[in-house]
Amino acid sequence: MPIAAAAPSRAELVDHLVRTRIAGNVATPRENNLLHYRRLANGDRHYWFGLELGDRWTDEQDVLAVMAERCGVNDDPDHRQGQDTIDPELTVDALDRAAAVLRKAAADRQRVLFATGHPGGLLDVHRATAQALREHDCEIMVVPDGLQADDGMVFQFGDVAMLERGATLWHTHSPAPMAAVLDGLERAGRPLPDLVMADHGWAGCAGQRGIPTIGFADCNDPALFLAESEGTVQVTVPLDDHVTSPRHYDPLTAYLLDAARLG
């Protein structure tokens, strides 16, 4: 679980995010972003990430406006294809907000649940944060055994819940695995988490259930940004969630833990 030896400064992290394309000119093309915004607005629940958006976001231009404000995509509705962006300053701003939530979790010794639908990119971000919180006497929650969702099993590796199918960790946007975890905890008579740190439908489902949630989201995944704007998710961190190397996220993790005073 390697992370940077020393936390970068804000300016150093911004430069790193742009250089590695975690933010700045990201790999996700504009046309893919707009397609996802349109599908969410048209009521395709695959893009709702387990949130109940009702009829509040039926205009894709309203979705675009939130994404421009909170993620930093191009706000021009006539920009239909080509390059799109994530504002690295917004990424760091969100990391600072997430750090404040984590700092409180440590101070209160909260029960925290970690989960990811992007094990190829964000697993170590979650793992390192879980370890840091454990060292500050937080309870890192263990998911019940035998949970099933989406034709797979919900397992926990390195403190992080993930979906497994056929001995493979699965990239998933589905809220069903998180629903399985929360339902399983309730069946077992165990308390729910005080805080969830996750992404994709794992985060959306937790937020919808009223659990304070930190989420990570890409510029083509608008649901968590809408949820933050409505207060359903506490913090949504904008970033490309699967760049060329998972090690590129190490400075981001180091910055987050340092800002949370967990480093």
Side-chain angles (χ1 to χ4, degrees), residues 48-51 174-180 182-183 196 199-211 213 224 232-233:
W48 286 20
F49 285 10
L51 294 154
S174 172
M178 179 58 85
L182 299 179
D183 292 344
V196 165
D199 45 69
H200 288 174
W202 297 88
C205 176
Q208 186 62 42
R209 298 262 187 124
I211 300 170
T213 300
L224 296 186
T232 311
V233 167

Side-chain angles (χ1 to χ4, degrees), residues 128-172:
T129 307
Q131 181 60 36
L133 285 174
R134 176 181 284 109
E135 291 171 359
H136 285 75
D137 299 321
C138 286
E139 176 187 346
I140 306 307
M141 298 196 70
V142 177
V143 305
D145 289 334
L147 299 179
Q148 299 183 40
D150 295 333
D151 300 319
M153 299 293 295
V154 180
F155 289 147
Q156 202 165 20
F157 299 94
D159 296 321
V160 185
M162 288 168 278
L163 183 67
E164 187 265 358
R165 291 185 195 163
T168 300
L169 299 179
W170 210 255
H171 170 222
T172 177

Side-chain angles (χ1 to χ4, degrees), residues 11-25 88 243-244 248 251:
E12 289 168 340
L13 180 59
V14 165
D15 177 71
H16 172 80
L17 295 174
V18 172
R19 191 161 25 85
T20 58
R21 301 185 74 185
I22 293 172
N25 289 332
V243 293
T244 55
H248 290 333

Side-chain angles (χ1 to χ4, degrees), residues 12-251:
E12 289 168 340
L13 180 59
V14 165
D15 177 71
H16 172 80
L17 295 174
V18 172
R19 191 161 25 85
T20 58
R21 301 185 74 185
I22 293 172
N25 289 332
V26 293
T28 308
R30 176 68 167 192
E31 46 268 43
N32 184 262
N33 285 344
L34 295 181
L35 175 64
H36 287 200
Y37 305 168
R38 185 178 313 118
R39 288 178 172 173
L40 179 144
N42 288 342
D44 187 335
R45 284 181 172 265
H46 175 77
Y47 298 92
W48 286 20
F49 285 10
L51 294 154
E52 291 300 327
L53 302 178
D55 58 1
R56 300 185 300 279
W57 299 100
T58 57
D59 186 337
E60 65 183 275
Q61 298 307 318
D62 291 340
V63 179
L64 174 60
V66 170
M67 293 303 293
E69 175 189 16
R70 292 180 177 267
C71 183
V73 302
N74 190 314
D75 64 357
D76 181 0
D78 293 325
H79 177 49
R80 309 300 300 176
Q81 59 184 8
Q83 184 66 57
D84 214 341
T85 54
I86 294 175
D87 185 341
E89 298 288 349
L90 293 178
T91 303
V92 182
D93 286 346
L95 289 171
D96 287 338
R97 296 196 302 277
V101 176
L102 294 173
R103 192 158 57 245
K104 184 177 186 303
D108 295 345
R109 299 183 179 180
Q110 292 180 357
R111 296 182 300 272
V112 188
L113 175 65
F114 290 84
T116 186
H118 238 303
L122 299 179
L123 174 57
D124 277 351
V125 179
H126 294 295
R127 289 174 62 196
T129 307
Q131 181 60 36
L133 285 174
R134 176 181 284 109
E135 291 171 359
H136 285 75
D137 299 321
C138 286
E139 176 187 346
I140 306 307
M141 298 196 70
V142 177
V143 305
D145 289 334
L147 299 179
Q148 299 183 40
D150 295 333
D151 300 319
M153 299 293 295
V154 180
F155 289 147
Q156 202 165 20
F157 299 94
D159 296 321
V160 185
M162 288 168 278
L163 183 67
E164 187 265 358
R165 291 185 195 163
T168 300
L169 299 179
W170 210 255
H171 170 222
T172 177
H173 289 191
S174 172
M178 179 58 85
V181 171
L182 299 179
D183 292 344
L185 290 171
E186 289 184 327
R187 283 195 305 272
R190 294 172 54 193
L192 295 179
D194 300 309
L195 175 67
V196 165
M197 180 167 151
D199 45 69
H200 288 174
W202 297 88
C205 176
Q208 186 62 42
R209 298 262 187 124
I211 300 170
T213 300
I214 297 169
F216 295 90
D218 210 329
C219 56
N220 63 350
D221 293 332
L224 296 186
F225 295 99
L226 303 183
E228 184 186 23
S229 77
E230 294 187 329
T232 311
V233 167
Q234 278 195 290
V235 181
T236 299
V237 180
L239 80 180
D240 186 315
D241 51 19
H242 197 126
V243 293
T244 55
S245 169
R247 298 281 64 78
H248 290 333
Y249 298 102
D250 290 349

